[in-house]
Amino acid sequence: MNVTVVLKVGREKSLLRRHPWVFEGAIDKVIGKARTGTTVDIVDNAGKWLAKGAYSPESQIRVRTWTFDQSEAIDDAFFKRRISKALQTKAQWFEHANTNAWRLVAAESDGLPGVTIDKYDDVIVMQLLSAGPEKHKAKIVNALKGLFPEHVIHERSDVAVRTKEGLEPVVNTHTGTLPDKVIIEENAIKIEVDLLAGHKTGFYLDQRENRKIAGQYCANKRVLNCFSYTGTFSLYALKGDAKEIVNVDVSQSALETSKRNHLFNFSEAQLRAVSHVKADVFELLREYRDSGKRFDVIVMDPPKFVENKRHLDRAARGYKDINRLACELLNEGGMLITFSCSGLVSQDLFNKIVADAALDASTELGYLRKLEQDGDHIVASSFPEGAYLKGLVCVKR
Ligand code: SAH
């Protein structure tokens, strides 16, 4: 029996613009028994067919659209088509990129809501975030096996957002033998990716281009890399001839990985310029300010501060605090390269937060350029929410 989701009057507008989400509040009624991940037909209030999507009974985003084509079945061939298309799209990008690690499927923006697939050399890591992909997992794995026959296919669906969908965390190697680690290479820099416990699917691929840009501002500079994780901004800074680099993170294991990453790429003599400090950034910046330590370049790449709208104010205060301190620690003419990966913080809001931070620090910043996620993290024109990472290169003057 087909299940049909009938929208309230006027609530079809976003689907007509091919935006893939149907919120709980837009639904008038559900005809039939929809279970977790059931493929449902979505119709407007007058019964006109709009789309097919996956039903998520426990999420506010109640349906995520698979297709706007009524004749398209959600079967093995569907997933193969979508993943092949994503691969073709990415081919346009990686032709000009210099890396063996990149995002193959960027969820909604590649027509597969709730599906993230990254490629780390010959290991494919997939992360399934919502009910639909969970139900069709075998089809997704089959499509990947067909397209990447020599690869390990590993699943890291161990993310907190799955609880909003009533799904358990899952970690599983579907084919091949998973190594603990893989060394990837981007822009001729070697980086260790922890496939078992690394953030996201293992690593921050989205910052690749921004690391490269940041490195270009570091020649002969004293650099402070806040929230350094595995030290990748530092690797690019050193490659860019930084005079001194201080990496700061609270995680000892991240700092250890960072040290190994430096050893993979540089000689001991070069590494004399690099130090690692285990500390809370909020506290350490205050200590540095009070003791008169100053830097020429500060990279500020914190974790996501906002998970939902209720936390937006608190998050904005957090961003403002660290950016104000950074302004205070910068030498005149120094550069602040600052990011927010919170989807709920728009570029406009982020510009304002950084502006307020500068004001509170009694400095003026010039915004030299805006930064965003690298191109393999593609943003569909119908899905502006796909643009989650924003950054600013600012000069203190
Ligand atoms: N810049 C990194 C990614 C940062 S991820 C890159 O390009 O790869 C966020 C990091 O912030 C994590 O390593 C986490 O351990 C660290 N972290 C979170 N809160 C922190 C805090 N208050 N002080 C210092 N580090 C923190």
Side-chain angles (χ1 to χ4, degrees), residues 211-351:
R211 291 191 268 271
K212 191 172 159 191
I213 292 168
Q216 291 162 359
Y217 293 107
C218 292
N220 291 316
K221 300 288 164 60
R222 297 191 68 206
V223 179
L224 177 62
N225 181 21
C226 299
F227 307 97
S228 58
Y229 190 45
T230 52
T232 46
F233 274 99
S234 174
L235 301 174
Y236 279 77
L238 195 54
K239 202 174 170 217
D241 290 328
K243 184 164 67 184
E244 185 189 337
I245 308 167
V246 181
N247 291 292
V248 189
D249 203 284
V250 276
S251 157
Q252 188 61 41
S253 72
L255 293 169
E256 295 306 325
T257 308
S258 175
K259 288 177 196 167
R260 283 196 298 278
N261 279 335
H262 283 82
L263 283 167
F264 292 149
N265 291 282
F266 300 103
S267 68
E268 297 232 342
Q270 288 171 299
L271 291 181
R272 276 187 215 116
V274 182
S275 59
H276 286 87
V277 181
K278 181 174 185 293
D280 181 317
V281 165
F282 291 82
E283 289 168 15
L284 189 75
L285 294 184
R286 286 182 164 77
E287 268 175 46
Y288 280 178
R289 178 193 59 192
D290 298 343
S291 63
K293 258 203 156 125
R294 296 294 176 263
F295 295 88
D296 306 310
V297 176
I298 300 182
V299 176
M300 195 59 80
D301 182 29
K304 194 169 169 183
F305 284 166
V306 202
E307 289 297 342
N308 58 52
K309 280 188 183 145
R310 276 179 291 130
H311 296 153
L312 197 53
D313 277 355
R314 199 179 65 199
R317 283 196 297 278
Y319 285 121
K320 187 172 142 187
D321 191 36
I322 48 179
N323 284 296
R324 174 179 54 79
L325 290 160
C327 289
E328 291 172 344
L329 286 177
L330 273 179
N331 289 320
E332 203 62 26
M335 313 283 293
L336 169 61
I337 304 173
T338 182
F339 298 95
S340 162
C341 61
S342 303
L344 287 169
V345 174
S346 65
Q347 179 79 55
D348 263 6
L349 177 58
F350 191 56
N351 292 1

Side-chain angles (χ1 to χ4, degrees), residues 126-140:
M126 66 175 201
Q127 197 160 69
L128 307 183
L129 305 180
S130 55
E134 183 66 25
K135 185 177 169 71
H136 295 289
K137 186 183 296 188
K139 301 184 183 82
I140 297 169

